[in-house]
Amino acid sequence: MKMPRLFRTTPFRLTVLILALFASAASAFLAYIYIATAGEATRRTDRDIRREMTSLIGVYDRAGPDAVNQALIERASSEKPFLYLLLTKDGRRISGSIEQSPVENFTGQPAWASFQVTDINAQGRAVKHPARGLQERLKGGEVLFVGADAGEDEAYLASIVGALQAAGFLVLVLGLGVGVLVSRNVSRSMVSLIDVVERVRNGETGVRAHVRGARDEFDELAQGVNDMLDRLERSMAGHRHAGDAIAHDLRSPLTRLRARLEAAYIDVEAGKGNAEEALAQALEDTDGVLKTFGAVLSIARLQAAGQAPNPVIFDPAELAADISELYEPSCEDKGLEYAAEITAGLTVRGNREFLAQALANLLDNAVKYTPAGGAIMLRVRRRSSGEVEFSVTDTGPGVPDEDRERVIQRFVRLENSRKEAGAGLGLSLVAAVAEAHGGRLELSEGPGKVGEMGPGLRVAFILPRA
């Protein structure tokens, strides 16, 4: 028979385990208290008996057997009566509150004995009590026995044990009840999360875990699951969009490639046309396709590694100067004003190849989308926070505020940029490089709109100080 779910939860099992450990510890503690209390009660009774025996022996030494006999009669009626017995040399009873000695095989040496005495209670019933006593031989040969009823001590011990047992039982019951309540609460929280996981497993990626607002570990787990599902949903949407974008952006170059190859084939068959030119254009289109897939692989590589591979500490001024020198002729050919402000003596920790590619992508985008007569500015500087900033500012059409987060996603191209060659991977790669280096990418408006120019775009990727 399968146990109810509540009793199979980990919190309930832990509660039972803790209660079992507590019960074991409580039992050991109870046994210790009983042994210690019983021992102290026995020692106290023995001290009282020895004190009474010493007192009676003193009476005997001063006044003889008759004085002891008189003392036994008087003391038998005291508030805490002892049990007395005075015997002759040959063992005949002289006086006392008990009929015979409980000491067997008495040799004359002081001897202790534990025995039971019978008493009549208020209901007229005979009740037996435990007792303990000491027997000694007096100087004249008589035998004196002094004992004490230990029933009160036993009752006291029994009341202590009963109280401890009741308290332990109450604690166990309360602990078990609290364990059930805690387990039920935890089970409800976990069942909710398990239900979310099961529904996601069945394809419902839009479902989310309930955050109760208690700010405990279950809320943290629920929030973590929700964040994970959000990223999963965005990733799946990105993959779907990537497939559509790849199909859209690669269809044209692949179609042109096939058309040129087909035209070259026909021209070669007909003995006319310029087959070499068609092949050269086909190679250029092929390079564009390979460049797109190369960018995709670079982004995947960075995101899979989680950090830049083979990082080194270096001054980015030399790298920025090389990239600047590479793109300055392109700006001049297009009629763009180009300037660079590069601060030397900075230090960054990263992969030179990826950082160079990211900076080249920013300049390539600026040259591509800035119309003739515009301007481009490259800056490499240290921020007041100590971070190192690489930024490219242009006077092109810019990116609207509502599209700035979307434009850095893979294969996302705005409608006004589709007339330009590209696959929508430039800013995605820059963002991946910045993230892999522990930095970030920032997009903001450029210098503003001036005439037909602007408002421009300023793209900066910021790296932490090495």
Side-chain angles (χ1 to χ4, degrees), residues 118-409:
T118 302
D119 191 12
I120 304 300
N121 61 12
Q123 289 76 26
R125 296 178 182 177
V127 179
K128 291 186 177 182
H129 298 288
R132 181 173 174 79
L134 172 64
Q135 184 167 294
E136 292 190 17
R137 187 179 295 279
L138 303 178
K139 291 181 179 180
E142 294 86 353
V143 175
L144 178 62
F145 177 86
V146 178
D149 189 344
E152 293 183 1
D153 293 336
E154 290 290 332
Y156 175 69
L157 290 175
S159 64
I160 291 179
V161 172
L164 291 175
Q165 288 177 340
F169 177 76
L170 181 61
V171 169
L172 289 177
V173 171
L174 291 177
L176 190 60
V178 171
V180 170
L181 292 177
V182 171
S183 300
R184 182 175 297 172
N185 186 34
V186 172
S187 180
R188 280 199 299 264
S189 301
M190 293 306 300
V191 166
S192 175
L193 290 174
I194 293 172
D195 179 64
V196 169
V197 173
E198 186 64 27
R199 292 172 65 183
V200 171
R201 184 185 301 171
N202 293 331
E204 298 182 48
T205 56
V207 67
R208 294 295 181 269
H210 173 63
V211 180
R212 301 172 301 167
R215 297 183 180 180
D216 55 7
E217 61 273 14
F218 293 107
D219 274 2
E220 292 180 5
L221 179 59
Q223 189 61 51
V225 170
N226 290 342
D227 292 342
M228 178 184 66
L229 292 176
D230 288 340
R231 295 187 63 179
L232 176 63
E233 193 170 25
R234 288 196 299 267
S235 177
M236 293 178 64
H239 284 303
R240 287 194 296 268
H241 180 74
D244 296 340
I246 288 176
H248 182 278
D249 289 318
L250 296 186
R251 180 176 57 189
S252 295
L254 289 175
T255 301
R256 289 196 301 269
L257 175 61
R258 186 186 185 285
R260 288 193 177 96
L261 289 175
E262 184 178 7
Y265 176 76
I266 294 174
D267 289 342
V268 170
E269 287 289 326
K272 60 181 180 178
N274 190 342
E276 293 183 359
E277 182 179 348
L279 289 174
Q281 188 61 47
L283 286 175
E284 183 179 346
D285 292 341
T286 304
D287 288 340
V289 175
L290 292 176
K291 183 179 179 181
T292 298
F293 281 108
V296 172
L297 291 176
S298 296
I299 295 173
R301 176 185 173 191
L302 284 172
Q303 292 178 339
Q307 60 182 1
N310 306 319
V312 295
I313 296 178
F314 65 96
D315 185 351
E318 182 180 351
L319 181 147
D322 292 341
I323 301 298
S324 176
E325 184 178 354
L326 179 65
Y327 276 88
E328 189 171 2
S330 300
C331 293
E332 293 178 358
D333 292 342
K334 193 173 179 180
L336 302 175
E337 183 181 345
Y338 178 79
E341 295 180 0
I342 301 174
T343 303
L346 306 179
T347 55
V348 296
R349 184 176 186 273
N351 182 285
R352 295 176 65 98
E353 177 185 350
F354 279 114
L355 291 177
Q357 187 173 2
L359 192 55
N361 280 8
L362 295 184
L363 286 170
D364 187 69
N365 281 348
V367 173
K368 185 186 300 182
Y369 297 111
T370 303
I376 296 175
M377 169 68 77
L378 167 66
R379 287 189 179 90
V380 179
R381 60 184 180 179
R382 186 193 305 278
R383 287 191 164 190
S384 58
S385 61
E387 298 171 308
V388 177
E389 174 191 294
F390 300 78
S391 67
V392 174
T393 306
D394 62 57
T395 59
V399 176
D401 290 345
E402 62 272 15
D403 292 328
R404 286 175 185 169
E405 289 188 8
R406 191 170 64 90
V407 78
I408 64 175
Q409 298 176 9

